[in-house]
Amino acid sequence: MITTAISQALRTRGDERAVLCRIGAGGTALDELDSLRLRSDDLLLDLGAHPVGGPADPGGAVDEDGSRSAVGLVAVVAASLTDLRRAVTLAAHLPRAVHLLVAVEHIPGHHGVLVPSPPGIEEWNDLHELRVRKAEKGGWLCELFFPSGTEVAPALAAIFHGGRGRRRGPGSGLQAGLHGPQAHLWRPGDPSATPVGAAGPVPLIRVTPAADLVLRTQDGAALPLWEDVAVPALDRSTTGAGSWESLVDAGGTSAALRVRGPDPVTAIAPIDERLVNPMGFNKKTKGPVGDLTVDGEHAVIRTADAVLVTVPADGGITDVDLAGIRELRVVRVDWSGHAGPAAAVRAVASLAAGGVPLVSGPVPAWAAGLGQPLTDLLTSVEEDDMIDALAREEHSIRLRRAALRTHGQRTRWRALAAEVGIPVVPDPLVSVVLCTRRPDLVGFALAQVARQRHVRFELVLALHGFSADLPAVRAAVDGFAALGHPVTVHEADGDRIFGAVMNEAVDRASGTVIAKWDDDDWYGPEHLADLMLARAYSGADVVGISQNYTYLQELDLTVWRSYRSEFPNAQVVGSTILTDRVVLEDVGGFRPLPRAIDSQFLLSVRQGGGRIYRTHGLGYLLRRAGAGHTWEVDLGYFLRNHTKQWSGWRPNSLMEGEAGALGRAAPHTEHSEGHS
């Protein structure tokens, strides 16, 4: 269907030129573009091989204002959404299009359809027609018709974001300039990335440079002296520039990857976390074992029976590749080959970011670009350990945490900025909102908040019907503040409705992100950090977790139910809701109800077109006592269909035990029976 649609567009474009682009590998339609009948002035372009900063359409006409004239048809055919994101960055080289046809050959089901989200001002007032069609084998086509033409890069970005939620993810805070082969790998999905010449200067937007920092890439040839004194530039090698021979010294031992800059991690092109992430993770352990190894001239992921994925030469694993290996129980890393050292590191980091369970022997010195946390994790488990479903998921979570924090695009650009002394915006402040009627649980709850790490946070504590001057409460609040954490206390009358008290607490919060918290549940030390990671890669308006672990206090029993996670779903635990403050404002806050405010908030988000995402549930343990819960179900609900159960309080290893309650002379141990 994709090739047929392009053929028809070529026949109906009249006398105007056509520019056909492809990016990615492995798709039928990509190969079939070569067989289409084109005119002498038409252009067939491999976007992925095009260096940023070089002219993509040297024969194109120019209007009187110096901009490129619109052509009758621009077609962009991408093998995957990951490739479409790369095309966004490269499309700055393309002419404006009267007819824009965008096709993605395969989109995994959890990503949604290829429907555009229009820009916010008047850019698309000239839109005359829009068509969206599903193609064979999970592909999609989107066609837009603009009589006066439209810029391709922002249109591609709008098409991508239409199916991925309204949020575009936290940015790096930097405008980027790019030059050279594979430079687009450093800034995928960014329509504002500015192509620049090898020596500069950076173009001006009125009197302001279009970029804060320029990243230049080289494949072995020396780059000229950078001449722009206003904007700094950093040089990096392409993934193919390094060779195995260059990493072996006279004694025959591998040396560490040599790069410009103090940290070998920053030599590696970042991961596009919007698509290379754990979304679609499969919890089953019955699948075969795979190997990341070499087959002929290519790195591949294969089982004993078949090659599942051919890894691109740049090491860039795509969302389609991840979907194709989700059934594997584990992937063994073979360090003896690959296209080159940087490509090998990038492939392993991408698989880890995708949550693929990886095991490895000793990691060679030339793979220092992985970073120490990821290197340590690869050798921390054995293949046989991955037979256990819980151990497998715990390992996957640790891998994805390390890879996304080390190799995500935002992390990489903030590190590059630090290298040249450019200040960056602080990380978002998360306001933890806790409303409680039980003064005896304040110290316990504050201890759960206080041990959060890898995130900036404050606490807004709403005391519903009692005073902060109670000795146990005052001691807990003082102990929390003494640890250096900001805390705001709000005393609400006991007859105030719960939903209204929550809104009053949110009104006192300073953060741009709001996290809901319960007073009697256990939270692992990276609970908030995991939610913030999911917020970044999911594009969702709300993130939360599945309710996996429950401690049944009356029975002194811990049960684990292995619910599906890492996919868009409205069924998330209310006490783990994390959302942007603006989302709460959009739906009018929490409803003024005595209970069910979480489910009603989630319903309002869905009715308003928002996206809700469920991440893993191993950083949270629900306490179920006999009474006093706003969610009223019997104990049988938790005992049905459980995966495992243990006597006593038995958290998984990601919980890292129990924090001692604040404001007490000794740690609280009332619910620690059976802990091991």
Side-chain angles (χ1 to χ4, degrees), residues 88-245:
V88 172
T89 306
L90 290 159
H93 294 292
L94 299 178
R96 293 163 52 243
V98 172
H99 179 188
L100 175 61
L101 187 154
V102 180
V104 180
E105 290 220 60
H106 182 68
I107 299 178
H110 54 262
H111 281 315
V113 301
L114 209 62
V115 177
S117 174
I121 307 181
E122 298 179 349
E123 296 93 336
W124 280 18
N125 282 1
D126 189 38
L127 179 63
H128 181 70
E129 185 177 353
L130 168 66
R131 301 178 191 166
V132 177
R133 289 176 284 173
K134 191 168 187 177
E136 62 276 5
K137 299 181 180 179
W140 283 88
L141 292 96
C142 180
E143 296 181 76
L144 304 99
F145 298 83
F146 294 84
S148 300
T150 189
E151 295 291 340
V152 174
L156 292 181
I159 291 170
F160 171 80
H161 286 292
R164 293 282 293 154
R166 294 177 295 185
R167 289 192 64 258
R168 300 195 173 217
S172 64
L174 295 170
Q175 293 294 318
L178 301 174
H179 173 85
Q182 293 188 354
H184 62 281
L185 299 179
W186 291 79
R187 201 75 173 194
D190 185 0
S192 67
T194 302
V196 300
V202 174
L204 297 179
I205 302 177
R206 297 183 181 176
V207 297
T208 305
D212 303 304
L213 173 62
V214 171
L215 193 288
R216 304 191 300 175
T217 58
Q218 56 183 344
D219 54 7
L223 288 166
L225 182 68
W226 180 249
E227 297 178 356
D228 193 324
V229 296
V231 179
L234 288 172
D235 296 345
R236 293 294 186 266
S237 297
T238 62
T239 56
S243 65
W244 301 113
E245 291 77 11

Side-chain angles (χ1 to χ4, degrees), residues 19 33 48 155 228 265 406 415 434 469 479 516 535 588:
V19 177
L33 290 181
D228 193 324
V265 170
T406 304
L434 167 61
D469 291 328
K516 194 170 178 294
R535 170 181 175 267

Side-chain angles (χ1 to χ4, degrees), residues 239-501:
T239 56
S243 65
W244 301 113
E245 291 77 11
S246 67
L247 297 177
V248 179
D249 60 22
T253 58
S254 294
L257 190 61
R258 294 179 175 86
V259 300
R260 298 187 185 184
D263 187 354
V265 170
T266 65
I268 307 300
I271 293 167
D272 184 3
E273 59 262 55
R274 287 303 302 273
L275 287 162
V276 181
N277 58 53
M279 192 177 293
F281 176 73
N282 190 327
K283 297 191 176 189
K284 297 179 180 178
T285 61
K286 302 298 185 183
V289 174
D291 289 281
L292 174 62
T293 184
V294 174
D295 185 6
E297 298 180 353
H298 303 283
V300 299
I301 301 173
R302 65 171 306 143
T303 64
D305 301 321
V307 172
L308 303 180
V309 171
T310 299
V311 179
D314 61 23
I317 300 293
T318 70
D319 57 305
V320 173
D321 296 333
L322 290 172
I325 60 174
R326 287 298 184 196
E327 297 294 328
L328 297 180
R329 172 162 55 89
V330 64
V331 172
R332 298 176 294 213
V333 179
D334 174 11
W335 295 101
S336 64
H338 307 283
V345 168
R346 195 159 181 262
V348 173
S350 297
L351 292 171
V356 177
L358 301 174
V359 295
S360 168
V363 178
W366 54 258
L370 279 174
Q372 198 60 49
L374 194 50
T375 299
D376 293 341
L377 285 171
L378 289 173
T379 58
S380 65
V381 298
E382 300 293 336
E383 179 184 328
D384 289 346
D385 296 332
M386 300 297 95
I387 296 174
D388 180 79
L390 180 56
R392 178 178 179 270
E393 187 173 4
E394 289 173 338
H395 183 53
S396 166
I397 292 167
R398 292 188 175 101
L399 286 169
R400 68 185 74 159
R401 286 172 174 173
L404 290 168
R405 288 176 187 152
T406 304
H407 294 281
Q409 184 181 168
R410 183 173 187 268
T411 297
R412 183 71 80 253
W413 278 88
R414 290 167 72 87
L416 295 176
E419 191 173 326
V420 296
I422 297 177
V424 295
V425 297
D427 288 326
L429 177 65
V430 179
S431 294
V432 177
V433 177
L434 167 61
C435 179
T436 178
R437 284 186 176 273
R438 297 177 283 197
D440 57 309
L441 283 176
V442 171
F444 170 85
L446 266 58
Q448 307 301 312
V449 181
R451 70 172 182 157
Q452 298 301 299
R453 59 181 183 240
H454 301 305
V455 65
R456 291 177 64 223
F457 66 90
E458 66 169 8
L459 173 66
V460 180
L461 175 62
L463 307 178
H464 197 180
F466 60 93
S467 170
D469 291 328
L470 293 176
V473 175
R474 175 58 58 196
V477 171
D478 290 346
F480 185 88
L483 296 173
H485 305 306
V487 56
T488 299
V489 178
H490 169 54
E491 297 182 9
D493 292 339
D495 58 358
R496 293 284 287 167
I497 295 176
F498 178 42
V501 176

